[in-house]
Amino acid sequence: MTTPGHNQTKIRVGIDFGTTNSVVVIADENGNTHPARFVFTDHATSETCRTLLCLWMDQDGRRRVMKDAIGLDAIEAYLDDPAESRLIMSMKTYLAQGSFRETRVFSSVMTLEALIARFLTSLMDKAGLNPSDVSATIGRPVRFAGELADDSLGVARLRESFLEAGFPEPNIVLEPEGAGWRFMQRLDRPATVLVGDFGGGTSDFSIMRFDPQARQRVTTLGHSGVGIAGDQFDYRIISHAVAPALGRDATYRVMGGQPLPVPAEWFASLGRWHRLSLMRTPQTLRDIADVAKTSSEPEKLRSLLRLIEDQEGQNLYRAVGQAKSDLSRQDSTVLRFVHRDLKIEETITRADFESWIAPDLERLDGAIEDSMRQTGLGPDDIDRVFLTGGTSFVPAVRNLFDRRFGAERVDGGSEFVSVAEGLALIERERHLS
């Protein structure tokens, strides 16, 4: 029961702090939700913010102080002066790693919690919100990233990060529960629901019992997670249809010696556009130009160089995303991407794509099976299946659920903000009970 006056003036928000993107959704007193919009330096606004933090030292009168930028602004700040700035990426993936406690940033030693808190403070500022003025429910993955992940450590550090950013008493729930709460708004009777939440870096599955009329409307029965989702599928397309045109399979020589393979790390960065943008440093550009001089495929490597110099990563990523989307609706598509002398027109069939992602599908299927095994339920005991995230549109992924539960029981919703919307609804609900 909420104490009279306690949190009565707080703004109810749900926060999906993601590995790739972060989202904030506000719930009003009538149960309506709307996503906060983040305003960036170039006046662009978005409902999502890249989970990136750039730090640098600046002069403030006689003192040198640490400044920061987040999201798209972080990339630009880093590229303005990569030698004198520090870019922090994928902060969430380290939460459950006991080996990562702190790092030195310029002359300061900063904990992971302090870095995340700095990002969260700027995130709220860009959304026009003050952490001390909100009451927040935040999501956590079913399984934190990493081979030796300590989930209890991950939850503790996530909570401490929000507290350090000035959020009072953050409420932490599983991310698929947020998606489930959003789906529950469609239900008018009790149901056992399997929720599949496909993010950029992870896919989480939860089996929950919903009863719209009960005092405790949601009971989690079992859950599982795996570090595979949309980014991995994009990378499969890039690896097979794009990287060869940019010289991945080329060789080069040093001092006339034996042929050596082109550095693989250049092409690993093709998987995410912001990583490709971060290759636009003088040293990396010089390295690619030097390798191209003795390469077996010099023009392809020069195309890679121009792609990075001209910041075409976002356009490449959009073309790949469009091809993946096309294959969700049709049996084949042509991946088209043109930049200067580079022209890619690669026909991709759905059968090709499904063969590329076959190892990933196997792991997803294993995670679904694991969530079922935990509950002791059979397929007939699942009343509804709710899938959210763009990867749920991939037919081969959808078939994993259709095959187990029947297509008539599988429903979906692909909005980027669906998890945060559900978290905001949970936040509102806990202050009404």
Side-chain angles (χ1 to χ4, degrees):
M1 184 70 68
T2 304
T3 303
H6 177 66
N7 276 342
Q8 292 301 304
T9 61
K10 296 291 186 182
I11 302 169
R12 316 293 183 205
V13 301
I15 301 177
D16 183 8
F17 169 63
T19 303
T20 306
N21 292 299
S22 293
V23 179
V24 177
V25 168
I26 301 166
D28 65 25
E29 58 185 16
N30 297 316
N32 301 313
T33 60
H34 66 274
R37 296 194 67 84
F38 307 108
V39 182
F40 296 98
T41 299
D42 62 359
H43 304 297
T45 63
S46 175
E47 294 178 354
T48 63
C49 177
R50 288 276 171 176
T51 310
L52 301 169
L53 172 68
C54 183
L55 300 170
W56 69 94
M57 299 301 294
D58 204 354
Q59 201 71 29
D60 183 8
R62 296 185 178 181
R63 298 184 308 133
R64 279 175 59 80
V65 297
M66 191 181 295
K67 298 288 186 70
D68 66 64
I70 66 169
L72 301 178
D73 292 345
I75 294 175
E76 291 307 311
Y78 175 75
L79 292 174
D80 280 346
D81 195 355
E84 297 298 327
S85 59
R86 179 83 178 270
L87 187 70
I88 314 295
M89 300 182 292
S90 304
M91 291 173 277
K92 187 177 180 180
T93 63
Y94 299 105
L95 279 168
Q97 304 300 312
S99 58
F100 189 117
R101 293 290 180 181
E102 59 188 27
T103 186
R104 180 168 290 278
V105 181
F106 308 116
S107 60
S108 301
V109 174
M110 298 185 70
T111 64
L112 178 62
E113 294 90 327
L115 290 170
I116 293 175
R118 188 132 187 168
F119 170 83
L120 293 170
T121 301
S122 292
L123 182 77
M124 296 298 282
D125 183 62
K126 282 196 176 297
L129 298 169
N130 189 319
S132 63
D133 294 334
V134 306
S135 182
T137 289
I138 58 181
R140 53 149 291 194
V142 172
R143 296 282 183 269
F144 281 85
E147 291 294 325
L148 300 175
D150 181 340
D151 288 335
S152 60
L153 175 65
V155 172
R157 294 169 84 176
L158 182 64
R159 182 183 302 280
E160 182 57 36
S161 299
F162 274 80
L163 289 172
E164 193 164 335
F167 290 83
E169 303 175 14
N171 179 43
I172 299 177
V173 303
L174 294 171
E175 288 161 0
E177 286 190 17
W181 266 80
R182 183 178 181 277
F183 178 65
M184 188 179 71
Q185 310 311 306
R186 307 180 190 180
L187 299 177
D188 57 7
R189 60 177 63 91
T192 300
V193 180
L194 186 151
V195 178
D197 172 25
F198 297 91
T202 61
S203 298
D204 289 332
F205 308 100
S206 282
I207 298 175
M208 291 175 275
R209 182 67 181 174
F210 292 98
D211 187 345
Q213 306 305 321
R215 192 174 192 282
Q216 181 177 338
R217 294 201 276 174
V218 182
T219 303
T220 300
L221 306 177
H223 44 70
S224 64
V226 64
I228 289 174
D231 289 346
Q232 176 72 358
F233 286 7
D234 290 340
Y235 184 69
R236 297 292 190 189
I237 294 175
I238 288 170
S239 179
H240 286 85
V242 176
L246 296 173
R248 183 198 59 193
D249 303 324
T251 59
Y252 74 107
R253 297 175 185 271
V254 178
M255 304 293 290
Q258 292 296 314
L260 299 172
V262 169
E265 60 267 23
W266 296 345
F267 301 92
S269 294
L270 289 175
R272 295 183 181 178
W273 70 263
H274 64 275
R275 290 186 180 274
L276 186 64
S277 296
L278 296 175
M279 292 175 68
R280 191 164 54 93
T281 62
Q283 183 61 56
T284 300
L285 296 176
R286 280 196 300 269
D287 289 345
I288 296 173
D290 287 345
V291 167
K293 292 175 184 176
T294 61
S295 171
S296 59
E297 297 180 309
E299 192 50 44
K300 290 184 178 181
L301 285 171
R302 292 189 187 105
S303 291
L304 173 64
L305 186 66
R306 291 189 286 265
L307 189 77
I308 298 168
E309 286 178 326
D310 296 343
Q311 301 186 72
E312 284 293 302
Q314 289 191 62
N315 291 330
L316 173 63
Y317 202 77
R318 274 195 289 268
V320 170
Q322 184 62 55
K324 184 175 70 172
S325 178
D326 290 345
L327 292 171
S328 295
R329 300 185 302 271
Q330 55 202 49
D331 291 333
S332 68
T333 189
V334 178
L335 170 63
R336 291 186 173 88
F337 179 76
V338 178
H339 177 61
R340 296 212 219 177
D341 295 334
L342 173 66
K343 185 176 182 180
I344 297 174
E345 286 194 359
E346 188 76 17
T347 298
I348 306 171
T349 67
R350 185 181 291 177
D352 290 334
F353 178 54
E354 291 181 356
S355 71
W356 300 341
I357 65 173
D360 309 318
L361 294 172
E362 187 174 346
R363 290 185 62 193
L364 288 172
D365 201 39
I368 299 166
E369 177 64 29
D370 186 39
S371 67
M372 294 291 292
R373 191 183 303 115
Q374 288 181 34
T375 65
L377 299 176
D380 292 341
D381 299 314
I382 302 298
D383 300 308
R384 302 287 294 277
V385 176
F386 176 63
L387 308 178
T388 187
T391 301
S392 64
F393 277 133
V394 174
V397 171
R398 180 82 176 222
N399 287 341
L400 296 177
F401 298 90
D402 290 352
R403 188 178 66 247
R404 283 178 180 268
F405 307 105
E408 71 281 357
R409 280 185 275 171
V410 181
D411 203 346
S414 65
E415 296 85 353
F416 287 113
V417 300
S418 60
V419 170
E421 283 181 340
L423 296 173
L425 292 171
I426 293 172
E427 177 59 33
R428 176 179 179 272
E429 178 72 15
R430 77 187 186 106
H431 289 285
L432 293 177
S433 57

